[in-house]
Amino acid sequence: MNTNYNQNLGPEQWAKLKRIKHVAFDMDGTIYMGSHLFPFTIGMLEDLEKNGIGYSFLTNNPTKSVSDYLKKLAGMGVQANKENMYTTSLAAIDYIKATYPQAKRLFMLGTPSMASQFEKAGFKSCSDDPDDIPDALVVAFDPTLQYSRLCRAAWWAAQGIPYIATNPDKVCPTNEKTVLVDCGSLQKCIEHATGRQPDIVLGKPDPTMLDGIMNRHGLQADEIIMTGDRIYTDTAMAHNAGAVGVLVLSGETTLETALKVEEEARNNPAPKFFPPDFIMRDIRELGDLLIESHRK
């Protein structure tokens, strides 16, 4: 891992960048902060396109459908299409279709926008009714959560039906004076009430989303970068998928924290977190180095 803002990359590092055909971006803290797009984001994306490097946006937040996320990006000036977007909702849809091809009826803890994504994919939403029996349970981050629906989700978990969680996050980041209880905390609530854990927890750091992007674009693991501002989700997913992990310092993680993770990895054969392959100031630096590597 290079920790000197990439001023002295070695031949192996340049070769690693030169193989890259696609960049997967975390969103908040990576291409924007809150509702403010970083000033370098649009220019960096344009430069990738000019140099034949594809890109996708990933998010652990399933509250919005792909259409709603694309509207949010467009409102910031980022022009993207559905092929550029991969969310934990899409990962759950792909997982259910592959693992439970007969499943059509779902009981979901999730926003109406999320439910619309599943319905668009051919699933039917089950009501809060013990006679409306689902084929599978999907639990997600749900700011619209109703207590009765949480209880119904626990009931279906207790009945042993397939149980998929969209992401592991305990809380959703916010600058407001509140705690946004996220999907991981809902899972713990259901577990405490029933003893049942999800059959699978999707979202970063699980590699399923990155696998989905690689399958969508026909990529090998060493041809894709996962870049984000969190070691424990973004670059952890890159490691789990065998892809290249880039940590940017434009969001949550500081250089000091990243260096501590690197030191622990040197001294511990089984570290809690694996260090990223590269540390970058921001995605502008990543774009500049990628383009330079492809010209070498």
Side-chain angles (χ1 to χ4, degrees):
M1 183 186 72
N2 183 64
T3 58
N4 190 30
Y5 285 110
N6 308 293
Q7 296 301 310
N8 299 295
L9 295 184
E12 291 185 4
Q13 291 168 306
W14 282 116
K16 186 175 289 189
L17 292 174
K18 189 176 181 66
R19 287 193 292 270
I20 298 301
K21 297 180 180 179
H22 198 95
V23 181
F25 292 103
D26 170 54
M27 298 178 72
D28 204 350
T30 302
I31 66 168
Y32 58 70
M33 181 66 75
S35 59
H36 301 287
L37 191 73
F38 289 131
F40 45 74
T41 295
I42 293 176
M44 188 272 192
L45 297 176
E46 290 174 346
D47 287 345
L48 290 184
E49 288 184 336
K50 290 175 184 176
N51 286 272
I53 301 172
Y55 59 86
S56 299
F57 303 115
L58 279 75
T59 176
N60 264 15
N61 189 329
T63 56
K64 293 182 175 66
S65 66
V66 169
S67 295
D68 286 342
Y69 269 118
L70 292 177
K71 289 177 184 176
K72 177 177 180 177
L73 289 173
M76 293 180 170
V78 177
Q79 298 305 312
N81 57 51
K82 63 181 182 180
E83 295 302 315
N84 298 118
M85 195 78 225
Y86 205 74
T87 69
T88 49
S89 295
L90 292 180
I93 288 168
D94 289 344
Y95 176 81
I96 294 170
K97 287 186 172 182
T99 311
Y100 307 105
Q102 302 305 314
K104 298 299 180 185
R105 300 166 55 79
L106 306 176
F107 186 82
M108 293 181 278
L109 291 188
T111 64
S113 181
M114 186 200 83
S116 72
Q117 188 73 55
F118 282 82
E119 290 162 359
K120 185 177 180 181
F123 294 100
K124 180 180 178 181
S125 298
C126 292
S127 62
D128 182 4
D129 184 333
D131 295 323
D132 195 2
I133 302 173
D135 299 315
L137 168 65
V138 177
V139 172
F141 175 37
D142 186 7
T144 65
L145 181 66
Q146 296 175 340
Y147 179 72
S148 65
R149 292 185 62 81
L150 175 60
C151 294
R152 185 65 57 203
W155 169 253
W156 292 129
Q159 305 314 300
I161 68 170
Y163 172 13
I164 298 95
T166 59
N167 57 294
D169 305 67
K170 297 177 181 178
V171 298
C172 182
T174 180
N175 55 9
E176 298 177 3
K177 294 181 179 180
T178 187
V179 174
L180 298 179
V181 175
D182 208 326
C183 183
S185 297
L186 296 182
Q187 294 164 45
K188 284 297 183 182
C189 182
I190 292 171
E191 180 185 352
H192 194 67
T194 69
R196 177 86 185 275
Q197 295 181 348
D199 300 323
I200 187 170
V201 181
L202 301 169
K204 300 174 286 187
D206 182 270
T208 302
M209 279 203 297
L210 211 53
D211 290 342
I213 289 177
M214 288 190 282
N215 292 335
R216 178 184 285 182
H217 297 283
L219 300 166
Q220 299 298 313
D222 65 352
E223 295 174 331
I224 187 170
I225 279 175
M226 177 63 216
T227 182
D229 66 316
R230 295 180 179 181
I231 290 175
Y232 58 90
T233 55
D234 300 317
T235 60
M237 180 169 67
H239 174 81
N240 292 340
V244 178
V246 173
L247 176 73
V248 289
L249 302 176
S250 53
E252 178 180 311
T253 304
T254 64
L255 180 60
E256 180 182 12
T257 297
L259 294 179
K260 287 180 180 178
V261 169
E262 183 189 39
E263 182 179 3
E264 180 188 357
R266 282 198 303 265
N267 299 323
N268 186 345
K272 184 177 181 181
F273 300 113
F274 288 88
D277 296 285
F278 298 90
I279 296 175
M280 307 280 184
R281 181 186 62 249
D282 49 44
I283 61 169
R284 178 67 270 176
E285 183 178 26
L286 169 60
D288 291 343
L289 289 170
L290 273 175
I291 292 166
E292 185 175 351
S293 73
H294 283 232
R295 291 173 177 170
K296 283 182 177 292

